[in-house]
Amino acid sequence: MTEPARILVVGGGYVGMYTALRLQRQLRAELRAGTAEIVVVTPEPYMTYQPFLPEAAAGSISPRHVVVPLRRVLDRCRIVIGEVCSVDHAKRTATLATLATAEEGTGAVDLTYDELVLAPGSVSRTLPVPGLLDHGIGFKTVEEAIGLRNHVIEQMDIASSTRDPAIRDAALTFVFVGGGYAGVEALAELEDMARYTARYYHNLKPEDLRWVLVEAADRILPEVGAEMGRYAIRELRARNIDVRLETRLESCEDRVAVLSDGTRLPTRTVVWTAGVKPAPVLAETDLPLNGRGRLRCTSRLAVEGVDHAWAAGDAAAVPDVTAKEPGRECAPNAQHAVRQAKVLAENITASLRGQPLKEYEHTYAGSVASLGLHKGVAHVYGRKLKGYPAWLMHRAYHLSRVPTFNRKARVLAEWTLSGLFKREIVSLGSLEHPRAEFELAAAPPPDHGDKPSS
């Protein structure tokens, strides 16, 4: 018997999940007959719908409804929880480390494949800012989003209970670096949440909290256009949010954020959302990369110059065939990623069956962004919206895009309930260290020396 054709999908994010989902539908007959196999290697057993991270941080959506369990959705695929360390495409071999290899102590294992889909996504793009490694907080995962929510409420607890004005001011100062979607939406949602939470503290007022947005460019939210970006700045500043344009974070050592304009901000919270870069595994392959470290791809989503290798999303530099300017590439965003995954799966199926491939072609529709509850901006198909209509469009669009009917129903139910009941303002910071209480109880009592004689 011949071995089944193995399709290796590296990554379980937007592109990885949607590609595998469509492949298992299109290759149903081959999977049933055992002539094809789909293997998905991913560090986490779920796909995170990242546009909902700000609302999860603000408590509008439960964290478990922001993620999609891969084993349930990809029930005809083999899911391997681990990370691909390197790829030798000339030998059709990927080297990967799993939880089991760590336990066994045998090191990474090799996995052969026939078709390769590289969709590892991206990681935070950091700069050598002193103190960032020690004090910075990211905002790319659901764990980081919930950790940030817990952190903000804990800082309010510290400020409420301390008698030291310096500690209070630092605890109530929140610095966000990066004026893109992640930074602006996270700041806006958390400011909304913290302002609401402040009413339950006897000695805190919303005006006591200081929110600072630091952006190196001369505008924020470039995807929604200059006019809507200016509106977003006015809206944020009207809420006493300090927006610093053409400003960089130069240091955050010793819990003091030093900005390029000379401002020094004692703070216990520095949230870093200043862009992303391709996943490091791409540099550990023998496949062609462009100057930004992304895979050079054709408009058919095949890796340029090699056979049986495919890519899309953040990892791929895909030519934009709809652009008027030659050489322009598709933006690495969710709008392209979801659509590229569909074409990618269809082209892999066509390649296996000896059929012609199709080009990926999508005209950018526009963007929507939330600025907190009932506030937003949008620039879609040339139409500009702001305020409540933009916020409603933001929710409607992302509700339509979140995978599975199960998740759509749960998110809609939570939105409905959040409109009827008060916000939850509980910090569950102990979840980050669940064994702390047990370790304290199990530790031997301290030795205070011999007891004095009676």
Side-chain angles (χ1 to χ4, degrees), residues 13 17 36 109 123 187 189 199 270 287 319 367-368 388 396 411:
M17 193 201 78
V109 297
V123 297
L187 184 152
E189 291 284 354
R199 70 177 67 180
V270 175
L287 299 171
S367 299
V368 292
Y388 186 81
V411 168

Side-chain angles (χ1 to χ4, degrees), residues 206-249:
E207 321 66 275
D208 295 336
L209 280 70
R210 184 177 186 184
W211 300 83
V212 183
L213 177 63
V214 179
E215 169 53 47
D218 60 355
R219 61 176 178 169
I220 64 172
L221 297 174
E223 298 87 352
V224 300
E227 181 183 342
M228 291 295 97
R230 289 192 294 270
Y231 168 81
I233 292 174
R234 292 196 302 272
E235 168 65 28
L236 294 175
R237 285 175 173 166
R239 291 157 56 180
N240 292 321
I241 296 173
D242 185 358
V243 180
R244 306 283 185 102
L245 301 178
E246 299 182 277
T247 307
R248 299 178 307 279
L249 176 70

Side-chain angles (χ1 to χ4, degrees), residues 6-336:
R6 177 177 291 159
I7 304 169
L8 175 61
V9 180
V10 179
Y14 281 96
V15 174
M17 193 201 78
Y18 278 108
T19 300
L21 181 62
R22 197 163 187 85
L23 279 172
Q24 74 174 12
R25 290 172 181 169
Q26 295 183 326
L27 298 175
R28 188 179 290 108
E30 288 86 343
L31 293 172
R32 189 183 299 116
T35 58
E37 178 188 25
I38 304 170
V39 179
V40 180
V41 179
T42 173
E44 305 293 346
Y46 53 78
M47 185 274 265
T48 302
Y49 191 72
Q50 290 186 332
F52 280 160
L53 288 183
E55 292 202 53
S60 299
I61 301 177
S62 171
R64 67 184 185 280
H65 299 156
V66 177
V67 299
V68 180
L70 295 178
R71 295 188 191 279
R72 178 186 296 174
V73 176
L74 305 178
D75 56 339
R76 289 187 290 276
C77 299
R78 176 184 162 199
I79 308 297
V80 177
I81 306 303
E83 293 191 42
V84 171
C85 306
S86 63
V87 174
D88 186 345
H89 190 65
K91 297 180 179 178
R92 302 288 193 276
T93 301
T95 302
L96 58 112
T98 69
L99 297 177
T101 58
E103 290 291 330
E104 295 165 353
T106 56
V109 297
D110 290 337
L111 181 68
T112 59
Y113 59 84
D114 297 285
E115 301 285 340
L116 174 67
V117 178
L118 277 167
S122 57
V123 297
S124 295
R125 177 175 58 85
T126 58
L127 299 176
V129 176
L132 184 62
L133 177 62
D134 297 322
H135 304 298
I137 303 172
F139 199 79
K140 271 190 64 64
T141 68
V142 67
E143 293 86 358
E144 288 175 327
I146 303 311
L148 180 57
R149 167 189 170 80
N150 293 334
H151 175 83
V152 168
I153 297 177
E154 285 173 1
Q155 297 313 301
M156 296 176 71
D157 290 335
I158 291 171
S160 176
S161 57
T162 185
R163 288 181 287 183
D164 187 328
I167 293 177
R168 176 186 169 97
D169 290 345
L172 295 181
T173 300
F174 306 95
V175 178
F176 285 68
V177 183
Y181 280 128
V184 172
E185 291 191 341
L187 184 152
E189 291 284 354
L190 283 165
E191 189 274 337
D192 247 357
M193 183 271 293
R195 181 161 23 88
Y196 175 86
T197 304
R199 70 177 67 180
Y200 296 100
Y201 288 82
H202 71 282
N203 58 349
L204 291 185
K205 299 187 296 294
E207 321 66 275
D208 295 336
L209 280 70
R210 184 177 186 184
W211 300 83
V212 183
L213 177 63
V214 179
E215 169 53 47
D218 60 355
R219 61 176 178 169
I220 64 172
L221 297 174
E223 298 87 352
V224 300
E227 181 183 342
M228 291 295 97
R230 289 192 294 270
Y231 168 81
I233 292 174
R234 292 196 302 272
E235 168 65 28
L236 294 175
R237 285 175 173 166
R239 291 157 56 180
N240 292 321
I241 296 173
D242 185 358
V243 180
R244 306 283 185 102
L245 301 178
E246 299 182 277
T247 307
R248 299 178 307 279
L249 176 70
E250 296 199 334
S251 171
C252 57
E253 287 184 306
D254 302 321
R255 295 191 179 277
V256 176
V258 180
L259 308 184
S260 59
D261 60 6
T263 304
R264 295 175 63 87
L265 300 169
T267 178
R268 298 170 62 90
T269 308
V270 175
V271 183
W272 183 268
T273 62
V276 296
K277 62 181 180 181
V281 67
L282 299 184
E284 303 300 323
T285 72
D286 54 352
L287 299 171
L289 306 177
N290 69 1
R292 294 185 176 182
R294 299 165 70 194
L295 290 163
R296 292 206 305 267
C297 293
T298 69
S299 58
R300 293 176 175 82
L301 305 177
V303 177
E304 194 175 275
V306 297
D307 297 324
H308 308 291
W310 315 79
D314 292 350
V318 179
D320 187 351
V321 299
T322 67
K324 296 178 182 178
E325 306 89 353
R328 189 171 178 180
E329 297 172 354
C330 296
N333 56 34
Q335 187 176 145
H336 282 297

Side-chain angles (χ1 to χ4, degrees), residues 354-365:
Q355 299 170 347
L357 310 183
K358 61 162 60 171
E359 286 191 330
Y360 171 72
E361 182 177 351
H362 172 66
T363 302
Y364 191 62

